[in-house]
Amino acid sequence: MKVLIVLTNVEKYKGTDRPTGLWLSELTHFYDALVKNNISADFVSPKGGYVPLEPKSLEAMDEIDWTYYQDEDFRNRALGSTLSPAEVDPNEYRAIYYTGGHGTMWDFPEATDLGKIASSIYQNDGIVSAVCHGVVGLLPVVDVSGQPILAGKTVTGFSNEEETTNGTTDKVPFLTEDALKEKGANYQAGPAFTAVVHADGQLLTGQNPQSAHQLGIKVVESLKK
């Protein structure tokens, strides 16, 4: 049993020199749930190779973050030399997970090759999951009839309220919540920056960084069924 974890290659907000990238805990806290259940993972990004880190995510690192960040093998596989989409066979995976960080807003929606991989996993009765801004990776994913998997599904993701609180509403190319709704999703948010996870069939989503661990546990539970 194996999970494919998707990470961004984008290192800064377009049009400004503000740095961004992966929000580290959205990787480590999800991955920790896999490790504790003996589920292996591979790491892929739209371009393959290096994954930049959101600097602000390093300011709030906890024990789980440090455990993996100090693991050289993990760091090399997940951050230094991720797979490219062309190197991935979707038939090898029971689930896919899109991590977040603001960088995803620029490369995930356009990553149609990753969208095809996720679509294949979904159509093979696998789990498709995403957290925070990473849910924008779901925008190009379709079901067996070619319809968006978001249509009619109850999902969550980084809310407009959270983007406003973060001071980044005018710095992103679009708003995550709005994009999900435009695809026909039944978007549901909880209180800002609290753990919120929604499971609707094979589709599992988390609202923000605080949701990554709980989402990981839910994905593990779904895989074990």
Side-chain angles (χ1 to χ4, degrees):
M1 189 186 301
K2 195 154 59 166
V3 176
L4 185 64
I5 297 178
V6 188
L7 309 113
T8 183
N9 296 120
V10 176
E11 73 284 343
K12 71 172 187 172
Y13 290 70
K14 295 297 169 69
T16 173
D17 286 336
R18 177 170 173 159
T20 186
L22 162 72
W23 193 275
L24 181 63
S25 68
E26 292 176 13
L27 167 61
T28 53
H29 282 235
F30 180 93
Y31 183 68
D32 187 61
L34 302 185
V35 170
K36 286 186 166 67
N37 286 276
N38 298 309
I39 297 172
S40 61
D42 289 333
F43 307 92
V44 66
S45 59
K47 294 180 181 177
Y50 175 71
V51 170
L53 291 173
E54 163 62 63
K56 288 186 178 298
S57 74
L58 303 179
E59 297 171 6
M61 289 172 68
D62 63 10
E63 186 177 349
I64 291 174
D65 299 326
W66 278 113
T67 295
Y68 294 104
Y69 193 59
Q70 290 176 295
D71 182 322
E72 186 174 354
D73 176 66
F74 171 81
R75 210 167 55 231
N76 286 338
R77 290 196 306 125
L79 304 176
S81 56
T82 58
L83 299 170
S84 68
E87 296 175 285
V88 171
D89 177 359
N91 294 312
E92 294 183 9
Y93 303 94
R94 290 278 310 283
I96 187 169
Y97 169 62
Y98 288 86
T99 59
H102 275 91
T104 64
M105 299 291 286
W106 285 275
D107 60 352
F108 278 14
E110 309 302 323
T112 52
D113 43 4
L114 283 171
K116 289 176 183 176
I117 290 169
S119 297
S120 293
I121 292 171
Y122 189 82
Q123 292 166 25
N124 288 334
D125 297 321
I127 301 298
V128 173
S129 59
V131 75
C132 200
H133 291 93
V135 298
V136 302
L138 305 177
L139 297 175
V141 183
V142 296
D143 62 20
V144 70
S145 63
Q147 296 303 305
I149 66 167
L150 290 166
K153 296 288 187 181
T154 298
V155 301
T156 191
F158 206 64
S159 68
N160 290 356
E161 178 190 359
E162 287 168 323
E163 204 74 76
T164 299
T165 302
N166 204 48
T168 41
T169 300
D170 61 348
K171 293 179 173 62
V172 290
F174 59 91
L175 294 173
T176 302
E177 176 181 331
D178 292 354
L180 295 173
K181 290 175 178 176
E182 285 167 10
K183 282 288 184 180
N186 172 30
Y187 177 85
Q188 298 289 329
F193 303 107
T194 63
V196 177
V197 171
H198 286 296
D200 192 335
Q202 299 162 244
L203 184 58
L204 284 73
T205 50
Q207 183 172 322
N208 44 39
Q210 291 78 9
S211 309
H213 185 68
Q214 185 180 333
L215 180 58
I217 292 170
K218 289 284 188 185
V219 168
V220 168
E221 289 173 353
S222 296
L223 288 171
K224 288 185 171 181
K225 285 180 181 176

